[in-house]
Amino acid sequence: MEIRPILASLRKHRIPAILIVLEIALACAVLCNAVFMISKRVSDIHLPNAIDEQGLVAVTLRGTDDKLVGSDLPRNLAALLGIAGVKQVAVTSSLPLSQNNWGWSFGSSPDSVISDKKNINVSLYFVGAGADQALGLHLLQGRFFNADEFADSKFDTAPLPETHVVVVTQRTAERFWPGQSALGKTLYSMPHYYSVVGVVEDVLRPNINTQNTDKSYEDVFFPMSAAGSKGALGFYLLRGAPQDRDRIMRDAEQKLAELNPAAIAKGTTYLGIRAKYFADMSSMAWMLVLVCAVMLAVTAFGIVGLTSFWVGQRRRQIGIRRAVGATRGHILQYFQTENFLLTSAGVLLGMGLAFGINLYLMQHYEMDRMPWYYLPCGALALWLLGQASVFGPAQKAASVPPVVATRGIG
Amino acid sequence: MFAYYLDLALRSLKRNRTLTALMVLAIAVGIGASMTTLTVMHLLSGDPLPGRSAHIYYPQVDASPAGYAKGGPLDVLDYHSAVDLWTAHRADRQALLANSDVKVQAPGSTLPPLMLPMLATTSDFFAMFDVPFQYGSAWTAEDAASRARVAVISSSLNDRLFGGANSVGKTVRLKDSDVRIVGVLQKWRPSPRFYDVRGGRFAQGQTSSFYDKPQDVFVPFFSALEINDGNFWQFTCWGAVSTPGHLQDAPCAWVALWVQLDSAAKATDYRSFMTHYAQEQKQLGRFANTQTRMPSLMQWLDLNHVVPSDVRLQTWLAFAFLAICLFNTVGLLLAKFLRRSNEIGVRRALGASRGAVFAQCLVEAGMVGLVGGIGGWLLTLLGLWLVRQQPVEYADFAHLDLGMFGLTFVLAIAASLLAGVLPALRASRVAPGLQLKTL
């Protein structure tokens, strides 16, 4: 295909050509960044979490009398175990993505104190007996807590439990002791120290850091007895088959409310907790999808409109070309090539713009660097869009009969 | 002349309906998107206390160990500093604030107990922040001094417990205490919930929780600490807490102080008072840092980046989108005007000036803008409805006020006129002779 005549004709229609190029450039820049934002949110929403999310139900019990919790807890758990379809029950202080965070920072040397800058902040989960099974934790090394460790652990006057054992996630182990086995190592925060007895697969924190998701798995588990928990064990966990979870949730909420009339029981499935945590993010992602779709549609309409206008203007010229032997295919090709050239110019400009916008967003909106492959993908999308939208007007052009050439006005 | 141009414009718009529809659609969609996000921005970034916010300040001193607080003093005060500054009574008005959830029951009601957010505060809170009352009033100084069991409740809690009737004098049970209601608020929905803004620096732009509804229960500060002991939330702690939720003697930051200082001189005085206090506390060995800060209300909101970054991003996106729509409209208008080269040539040959052709084309562009504005207004209403369906704290704010309604049309017409300038210039340059020849 000869492109020189196309360029010559574009030079005659400089303004509309520039407009199309600018429109495509802007669309390309916004599209690349928007799709990048969408993909970042989608990957955050699907962050892996090594617990049994499908079958897990949680009921919070608030407003109980802390002095009676030692006897209330076992009674409540026994009653929950009686619900049909419940395989395992336990209590915990918090859950991944529940926003209920208790953080502390530890060091790996014996003189570490809380305000040490070298310390690493982790989220603490205090769990009652059976919580590993109720949560569906996956043990990678060592063991979970034994009955004695559960019975002996309690809160005294410190915000950290009176125990000497801890189970850490894989990511926590790597952060504190890179390249070494964590088993038998010790976490310090003067005057407390805890030996690692087990390592579990990565469980998310109650609050995650969306800018640095690596840190979202730095948490540890401590055993806790019911009586010594000072009311910290507020989440009742129930595990059953996924298809039973909604019924189990309602039954558990009702049962806990009956047994503790002065308290407030509120149940949810674990999937509900997860959906709530990411609700903002997923609505933003949908908004971006909507904007991208409408933006592409507007761009396509623009191309259709302008090309139709060009076709209308050049009816006579097209007729002459047809009369001197150009096939319909040639005419079709002419408009498609023309659009390809315009889109290419737009895309080239757009890539630079996309990169610039990304830099700006990185500075002002804590955004990551956009991977390079977004640019060719955006380019491809706009090429396809351009070809698709030019197809209709081009076909109209190709159907101009050669006889038009002999008429007066085009 | 204008009426004639209007008539011409209408005829011309009717002639090529597809092209006209495309232009109107492009303007409408662009305006709809940008006005939706602009309205949300406008509602979230306004002054929550117009007229008085300049006199409201947020004093900050720091009792944490050296190296603990990063980037200025901690966002809230420890109990001792807060109470010290408050008891000094150096401000025109001042209020202490602390948050907790409290169990609420209406005696004699069959409603199950509720867990509701409670604000422990001092009585100046209501006057200082212009909080409207529906029934009753704030508690008195004697109530506060005697640590009376009294409370002010929100209108929504009053609706839930008492069906909206005047409940002043009635009793509610907060945790284990019977508390007498002295006041019921009118619907009060500050945007953001400015008095509780803190920690925005650490929120990575996820600050929509700043737009949450006000608390349902307001109780005199020291009474509240007794009533709901053990349930208070720390902002942060740098040492052991012997009883969780009981933070009076704990090494924790958890109490906010707001002051009203009616003149610049008073603000200067207050700053030196704080500096003096911090130095004194350092000499006593209680403070490691003498850094202080006292931003005004709006400065404090700025420091905390209150407008969620998602909202700011959406606004940028919407304006990029509007730009795309405008490029599109420029192209289509150009096509439309040049298609009429013949007609314009005739008019020019009959004596119409370039200016007249230019004006006529702009009128036509303005018409497109007006119709696009109507479409944009409808799409803005749809967009705001969509925002209201979102699971975010500020969803219930999303309404179009009169100013924004007006702005929709101003923006639509301005955008279309801007888009029309280039094509109109081009059209007014059509040479009369050339066009006539082909007729």
Side-chain angles (χ1 to χ4, degrees):
Chain A
M1 185 79 203
E2 185 72 54
I3 59 171
R4 236 170 310 160
I6 300 180
L7 288 178
S9 133
L10 281 179
R11 210 167 299 142
K12 264 185 71 183
H13 300 274
R14 214 173 292 159
I15 297 170
I18 290 173
L19 285 173
I20 289 203
V21 168
L22 285 179
E23 189 179 338
I24 286 171
L26 206 51
C28 176
V30 173
L31 185 73
C32 286
N33 279 288
V35 171
F36 178 51
M37 288 186 235
I38 294 169
S39 76
K40 166 77 178 136
R41 284 177 168 77
V42 169
S43 76
D44 281 352
I45 290 171
H46 293 103
L47 278 176
N49 186 19
I51 61 172
D52 169 26
E53 296 195 344
Q54 296 298 322
L56 194 58
V57 164
V59 187
T60 55
L61 193 63
R62 303 175 71 189
T64 50
D65 187 344
D66 288 353
K67 288 176 216 86
L68 301 176
V69 74
S71 54
D72 283 355
L73 257 176
R75 178 202 60 185
N76 292 342
L77 285 173
L80 294 180
L81 198 54
I83 294 172
V86 171
K87 293 188 190 125
Q88 189 74 41
V89 294
V91 276
T92 166
S93 62
S94 182
L95 279 173
L97 304 179
S98 66
Q99 312 245 29
N100 182 352
N101 188 42
W102 183 241
W104 199 261
S105 76
F106 293 98
S108 46
S109 73
D111 54 352
S112 298
V113 293
I114 171 79
S115 58
D116 273 0
K117 284 197 175 105
K118 275 184 301 182
N119 278 5
I120 295 165
N121 186 282
V122 297
S123 295
L124 314 183
Y125 289 111
F126 306 111
V127 298
D132 53 332
Q133 288 148 50
L135 283 167
L137 295 178
H138 300 287
L139 197 62
L140 296 173
Q141 289 174 55
R143 59 177 179 84
F144 212 67
F145 311 115
N146 61 37
D148 287 346
E149 285 159 351
F150 278 115
D152 289 346
S153 175
K154 62 179 194 303
F155 279 122
D156 203 346
T157 58
L160 289 175
E162 304 293 316
T163 178
H164 291 293
V165 287
V166 65
V167 165
V168 302
T169 59
Q170 202 178 5
R171 214 71 70 98
T172 310
E174 278 162 22
R175 187 83 196 286
F176 278 95
W177 306 284
Q180 304 171 46
S181 165
L183 285 188
K185 299 279 195 317
T186 311
L187 287 177
Y188 296 95
S189 175
M190 286 260 279
H192 296 270
Y193 61 92
Y194 305 96
S195 307
V196 177
V197 297
V199 177
V200 291
E201 215 174 292
D202 287 334
V203 173
L204 285 169
R205 287 176 168 221
N207 272 316
I208 62 167
N209 181 336
T210 49
Q211 251 66 56
N212 183 355
T213 42
D214 273 356
K215 287 192 179 165
S216 303
Y217 295 99
E218 289 171 356
D219 38 55
V220 301
F221 295 83
F222 287 110
M224 184 56 63
S225 66
S229 74
K230 281 193 176 176
L233 298 176
F235 279 90
Y236 283 80
L237 304 177
L238 301 95
R239 189 159 64 82
Q243 66 271 18
D244 294 338
R245 64 186 170 225
D246 292 314
R247 179 186 51 79
I248 290 177
M249 181 197 82
R250 285 190 300 274
D251 289 356
E253 193 180 79
Q254 203 181 348
K255 190 148 270 176
L256 283 180
E258 278 167 20
L259 286 170
N260 308 273
I264 298 136
K266 201 161 180 347
T268 168
T269 62
Y270 187 77
L271 293 183
I273 292 179
R274 185 169 190 133
K276 192 172 162 214
Y277 190 91
F278 291 116
D280 266 22
M281 228 178 257
S282 68
S283 74
M284 176 74 176
W286 279 113
M287 207 279 313
L288 289 168
V289 169
L290 185 74
V291 166
C292 286
V294 181
M295 187 184 68
L296 290 177
V298 166
T299 311
F301 283 138
I303 295 173
V304 172
L306 267 192
T307 319
S308 307
F309 164 66
W310 275 337
V311 171
Q313 251 193 349
R314 294 182 212 160
R315 272 176 74 81
R316 184 137 183 267
Q317 188 194 341
I318 295 165
I320 294 171
R321 283 199 61 203
R322 292 277 282 127
V324 298
T327 61
R328 296 167 64 109
H330 283 140
I331 305 292
L332 206 65
Q333 243 179 18
Y334 174 90
F335 282 99
Q336 281 176 334
T337 313
E338 184 189 67
N339 180 271
F340 181 79
L341 290 176
L342 288 175
T343 314
S344 301
V347 159
L348 219 61
L349 203 63
M351 284 190 189
L353 199 56
F355 186 67
I357 292 178
N358 182 234
L359 282 184
Y360 176 84
L361 294 178
M362 275 166 65
Q363 268 187 340
H364 297 268
Y365 293 89
E366 292 132 343
M367 185 107 103
D368 296 336
R369 180 177 296 282
M370 182 162 59
W372 64 270
Y373 52 79
Y374 274 83
L375 297 175
C377 289
L380 190 69
L382 282 162
W383 268 318
L384 290 177
L385 181 82
Q387 291 301 310
S389 33
V390 85
F391 191 71
Q395 273 219 311
K396 223 165 154 195
S399 64
V400 171
V403 72
V404 169
T406 59
R407 287 193 200 139
I409 319 166
Chain B
M1 218 45 187
F2 185 72
Y4 174 59
Y5 290 160
L6 221 55
D7 183 48
L8 278 183
L10 268 178
R11 278 165 197 275
S12 150
L13 289 177
K14 266 191 241 159
R15 201 170 321 146
N16 200 322
R17 284 160 203 264
T18 340
L19 218 52
T20 309
L22 278 181
M23 282 189 290
V24 168
L25 202 68
I27 295 270
V29 171
I31 294 293
S34 42
M35 283 310 294
T36 302
T37 59
L38 208 59
T39 303
V40 173
M41 266 295 264
H42 166 70
L43 294 169
L44 299 193
S45 58
D47 183 345
L49 274 183
R52 48 166 72 201
S53 58
H55 302 299
I56 307 283
Y57 296 89
Y58 191 67
Q60 290 173 276
V61 295
D62 198 341
S64 68
Y68 187 82
K70 295 175 183 80
L74 288 176
D75 283 22
V76 284
L77 304 170
D78 63 294
Y79 180 80
H80 284 289
S81 308
V83 173
D84 281 353
L85 294 177
W86 185 76
T87 38
H89 284 287
R90 295 293 191 103
D92 292 308
R93 280 180 178 136
Q94 48 177 4
L96 291 171
L97 282 76
N99 281 302
S100 61
D101 275 355
V102 71
K103 186 166 71 179
V104 179
Q105 266 175 305
S109 154
T110 52
L111 274 175
L114 305 161
M115 210 68 186
L116 294 174
M118 171 176 91
L119 188 69
T121 188
T122 49
S123 60
D124 276 358
F125 175 86
F126 303 98
M128 183 160 73
F129 293 147
D130 216 3
V131 186
F133 277 86
Q134 187 174 11
Y135 304 116
S137 61
W139 52 83
T140 62
E142 296 82 67
D143 285 338
S146 64
R147 309 207 166 177
R149 299 294 187 251
V150 291
V152 167
I153 62 171
S154 70
S155 68
S156 72
L157 181 60
N158 192 47
D159 290 348
R160 269 166 100 174
L161 295 184
F162 304 103
N166 185 350
S167 58
V168 170
K170 294 209 171 120
T171 301
V172 282
R173 198 161 176 75
L174 300 184
K175 203 178 165 202
D176 306 315
S177 308
D178 282 326
V179 167
R180 181 169 50 89
I181 296 170
V182 294
V184 177
L185 299 186
Q186 262 175 38
K187 277 198 183 4
W188 181 54
R189 189 77 173 89
S191 157
R193 192 167 82 180
F194 58 91
Y195 56 87
D196 271 340
V197 163
R198 65 193 62 157
R201 290 182 282 156
F202 314 109
Q204 298 160 353
Q206 288 168 358
T207 53
S208 45
S209 61
F210 289 158
Y211 294 88
D212 215 343
K213 294 178 181 66
Q215 286 82 356
D216 282 306
V217 185
F218 302 80
V219 178
F221 188 76
F222 297 98
S223 309
L225 297 196
E226 291 173 2
I227 291 170
N228 207 23
D229 190 34
N231 288 301
F232 284 85
W233 306 329
Q234 67 269 26
F235 177 76
T236 185
C237 291
W238 52 88
V241 180
S242 52
T243 321
H246 175 96
L247 305 171
Q248 276 85 322
D249 301 307
C252 297
W254 61 293
V255 182
L257 171 67
W258 285 97
V259 297
Q260 181 178 331
L261 301 164
D262 289 334
S263 69
K266 283 181 182 168
T268 316
D269 282 354
Y270 203 91
R271 281 181 213 279
S272 54
F273 159 63
M274 279 165 60
T275 312
H276 181 71
Y277 175 78
Q279 279 160 355
E280 192 184 83
Q281 294 299 311
K282 189 171 184 183
Q283 275 162 14
L284 291 172
R286 205 169 74 82
F287 278 15
N289 317 296
T290 51
Q291 53 181 351
T292 64
R293 182 162 59 186
M294 194 174 73
S296 68
L297 173 54
M298 292 312 280
Q299 282 169 339
W300 181 238
L301 297 187
D302 265 2
L303 272 170
N304 280 283
H305 312 293
V306 281
V307 177
S309 65
D310 271 3
V311 173
R312 286 181 292 148
L313 262 182
Q314 281 168 8
T315 311
W316 276 112
L317 203 63
F319 277 91
F321 187 52
L322 179 64
I324 291 176
C325 293
L326 279 186
F327 281 134
N328 209 332
T329 311
V330 178
L332 295 174
L333 277 175
L334 198 63
K336 199 157 168 35
F337 292 164
L338 291 187
R339 187 174 279 191
R340 292 215 314 274
S341 292
N342 296 339
E343 176 200 318
I344 293 169
V346 174
R347 285 200 57 216
R348 291 277 282 120
L350 291 178
S353 69
R354 279 192 177 171
V357 173
F358 184 76
Q360 184 208 330
C361 287
L362 271 195
V363 169
E364 194 174 328
M367 287 280 290
V368 171
L370 185 67
V371 182
I374 296 173
W377 166 57
L378 293 174
L379 284 177
T380 306
L381 291 182
L382 177 72
L384 292 174
W385 178 81
L386 276 175
V387 173
R388 284 197 294 277
Q389 310 309 307
Q390 300 307 305
V392 286
E393 285 82 354
Y394 54 81
D396 59 328
F397 287 130
H399 288 281
L400 197 67
D401 57 25
L402 205 62
M404 286 316 227
F405 172 78
L407 189 64
T408 308
F409 287 91
V410 172
L411 192 65
I413 294 176
S416 63
L417 287 182
L418 188 73
V421 168
L422 188 78
L425 265 179
R426 196 74 181 68
S428 66
R429 294 257 164 82
V430 167
L434 261 176
Q435 297 299 326
L436 288 180
K437 237 183 359 195
T438 57
L439 276 175

